[in-house]
Amino acid sequence: MSFCGDWCRVSGVLLGAFSALPALADPASMGVTAGSPHRGGTLHLTADASGGTLDPQINYTSEYIQLFVNMYDGLVTYRQADGAKGLEVVPDLAEALPEISPDGLTWVFRLREGIRFSNGAPVTVDDVVASLKRLYQVGSPTAASFYGAIRGAKTCLTDPAHCVLEGVTADPVARTVTIRLDAPDGEFLDKLAFPHAVILPKDSPPAESALTPLPGTGPYRIAHYEPSRQLLIERNPFFRVWNPQAQSEGYVDRIQYDFGLSDEAEVTAVEQGQYDSMLDAKPQDRLGELGAEYTDQVHLQPLLGLYYLALNVHEPPFDSLEVRQAINHAVDRHAMAILYGGSAIAEPLCQIVPHGIPGADIPCQFGRQTPSGAWEGPDLERARRLIRESGRAGQKVTLVVPNQAVGVAMGVYLRNMLQSLGFVASVRPMTPATAEGYARNSDNHVQISLAYWYADYPSPSTFLDALLGCDNARPHTEGATNASGFCYPELQSYMAQARKSLDPQRTQALWEHAGTVAMQQSALIPLIQMRYVDFISKRLGNYHYSLLNHMLLSQVWVQ
């Protein structure tokens, strides 16, 4: 039985035209763009709302991280490339990848010479030390989960104002930075490539710089910001190319990002050439139109991401394991895929880590399964039996969803499903940026929320740890990515062992165990894995797409 109503009567056939979409354009040359006939002009982007803080060590939205990778650099970064090559870590501000001791505890980087920040100041090893220390001072959301293994990090997390971080030292003469860890971390290189570890001037404020842009080293810098209206980006006059795999000069001279249009209006504006690209998910009722009439302007891309439900384990009725497992049995993942846009761009997901990441694939434990262990459909009878056993039927439940066409449609279905299980359910739509932070803050006592999440880097930890790890279940803050408030020792143990393991086979097995335990506890209910529908204007060329950062803004040009 389905509870979608009219929404689910809209068939995925609307997307039939997407099966004929062109593949990614042949890669053009990447690197220095000076003298290119395509250099110049303004790239016009649009989103329904801004991405929040301008502080690159705090912002955790894909909206602004896509921009920040063109403004800031770490010691290492991900290669500017399409497909799997874009998951490779390459040297950035460091001359080469680090020298690592045999025990995995000591990492030595040599800083490049001659690089300047966008304010003209030279980049020094002291800036590197200060930037890593600042992660704890400003309360970066990944300070504990990504960088908690650095020697001295535990003290810095406890007392940020007196952070010393003795595990990071510099030699100005040799231009080297040494990072010492308390325990091996097989993912530490990926974590250093994540944008929170960017290098900023050593005199950057030890508090969040939300509205004032901090100097960076990339080819672009922020010129003006009005969070309710617009973000303007211009070229960094002090930038020069040092490693084209890490940073290229960029083709466009300016990027103008306008906020405030609805997702429906965004589609129309790109169709009319007013904007070159839109951030938000394309409304389902426009997908057939895009697939049929704008085929050359649509790129259908793989996505390491999922839609999920976060069930707050500290709020009734989801403090009951039986209730949480009942939701996992009852949800119709096929309906969720239809509401997102159909089978061409979404598939049911019965594991927390999306397909395509090693250590992800585990047998489905919920709903009805095929003989091979894949999810086949909901099991409402079992779900209702669990609700009866829990004694929680009749309680009020409010679901927080992002106020976009897809989020509201899913919310209506989920409300109907909750009501069918015996709850008094309602939906509370909120703007996407507001909904995300509101649901994560324990002070708001949100019971259940709908959200989406993308990979920070290609590892199960960026889903299991980020969304369910104890370090990310911090109370009283919107920066706590674990909206469920979930902290479970068995899961923590598997994840800790996996991070310390340097044996790929053992690491994968540990992540599979972690994923199984996380699904059993059902604090997070995976719904679908999406593909990304990138809709661009006719005048945008040299399109390239990264699995981590989506369209590569430094590579595109405008005619």
Side-chain angles (χ1 to χ4, degrees), residues 10-22 284 286-295 298 300 338 341-346 531 533:
V10 180
S11 169
V13 173
L14 286 175
L15 286 175
F18 278 161
S19 62
L21 285 177
Q284 193 218 41
R286 304 295 294 273
L287 292 176
E289 170 190 343
L290 296 182
E293 300 178 28
Y294 296 89
T295 305
V298 177
L300 192 57
I338 291 175
S343 59
I345 61 173
R531 297 183 73 186
V533 180

Side-chain angles (χ1 to χ4, degrees), residues 71-391:
M71 303 178 197
Y72 300 97
D73 296 276
L75 292 168
V76 292
T77 191
Y78 288 99
R79 184 191 301 272
Q80 286 194 357
D82 302 303
K85 287 187 176 180
L87 302 178
E88 298 174 5
V89 177
V90 297
D92 195 353
L93 295 182
E95 290 183 345
L97 294 179
E99 297 179 8
I100 307 172
S101 62
D103 60 5
L105 297 180
T106 304
W107 299 56
V108 181
F109 296 86
R110 183 178 173 87
L111 189 67
R112 296 181 191 271
E113 285 189 289
I115 298 177
R116 293 183 176 273
F117 290 107
S118 55
N119 61 1
V123 179
T124 70
V125 291
D126 291 336
D127 296 309
V128 178
V129 174
S131 296
L132 294 177
K133 187 185 300 183
R134 187 178 183 271
L135 287 166
Y136 312 96
Q137 295 171 330
V138 300
S140 173
T142 56
S145 56
F146 281 20
Y147 312 107
I150 298 176
R151 188 170 300 170
K154 292 180 175 61
T155 302
C156 290
L157 289 164
T158 304
D159 186 9
H162 299 95
C163 177
V164 176
L165 198 64
E166 60 268 23
V168 181
T169 57
D171 182 339
V173 176
R175 302 196 318 282
T176 58
V177 175
T178 300
I179 302 175
R180 294 179 173 84
L181 307 182
D182 286 326
D185 184 346
E187 299 178 351
F188 192 60
L189 189 65
D190 287 292
K191 293 171 180 176
L192 288 176
F194 187 70
H196 284 172
V198 296
I199 307 307
L200 305 169
K202 59 180 177 291
D203 59 356
S204 296
E208 179 182 1
S209 184
L211 298 177
T212 302
L214 297 170
T217 49
Y220 296 99
R221 65 182 182 183
I222 296 172
H224 180 69
Y225 186 42
E226 294 180 56
S228 62
R229 192 177 74 87
Q230 192 177 78
L231 176 66
L232 296 177
I233 296 168
E234 63 185 8
R235 286 193 180 275
N236 170 11
F238 297 97
F239 175 80
R240 65 173 182 82
V241 176
W242 54 81
N243 178 8
Q245 295 177 343
Q247 283 286 23
S248 55
E249 185 188 52
Y251 286 95
V252 301
D253 287 338
R254 290 169 300 278
I255 300 173
Q256 179 175 318
Y257 215 144
D258 292 336
F259 312 121
L261 292 180
S262 68
D263 47 7
E264 290 277 358
E266 289 176 48
V267 172
T268 300
V270 177
E271 288 178 346
Q272 296 175 351
Q274 298 170 12
Y275 291 99
D276 298 305
S277 180
M278 59 176 285
L279 171 77
D280 302 297
K282 286 61 187 174
Q284 193 218 41
D285 64 346
R286 304 295 294 273
L287 292 176
E289 170 190 343
L290 296 182
E293 300 178 28
Y294 296 89
T295 305
D296 292 341
Q297 295 171 237
V298 177
H299 295 268
L300 192 57
Q301 301 290 7
L303 190 63
L304 301 178
L306 81 161
Y307 261 87
Y308 66 94
L309 285 172
L311 310 184
N312 192 332
V313 300
H314 303 291
E315 299 289 337
F318 303 112
D319 55 345
S320 164
L321 177 60
E322 289 87 354
V323 172
R324 299 198 303 269
Q325 290 182 337
I327 303 302
N328 227 338
H329 282 297
V331 70
D332 189 338
R333 293 171 166 88
H334 177 64
M336 295 289 96
I338 291 175
L339 292 172
Y340 187 76
S343 59
I345 61 173
E347 63 176 306
L349 187 66
C350 191
Q351 58 192 39
I352 294 169
V353 185
H355 300 291
I357 294 180
D361 295 329
I362 57 175
C364 183
Q365 306 170 60
F366 292 92
R368 294 180 287 105
Q369 298 98 39
T370 66
S372 64
W375 183 87
E376 187 173 43
D379 188 339
L380 289 170
E381 182 179 345
R382 187 171 182 182
R384 290 181 177 126
R385 184 171 67 249
L386 286 168
I387 296 296
R388 289 194 297 270
E389 293 172 359
S390 74

Side-chain angles (χ1 to χ4, degrees), residues 446-460:
V446 173
Q447 297 163 291
I448 179 173
S449 57
L450 174 70
Y452 46 85
W453 189 259
Y454 306 127
D456 295 329
Y457 54 88
S459 166

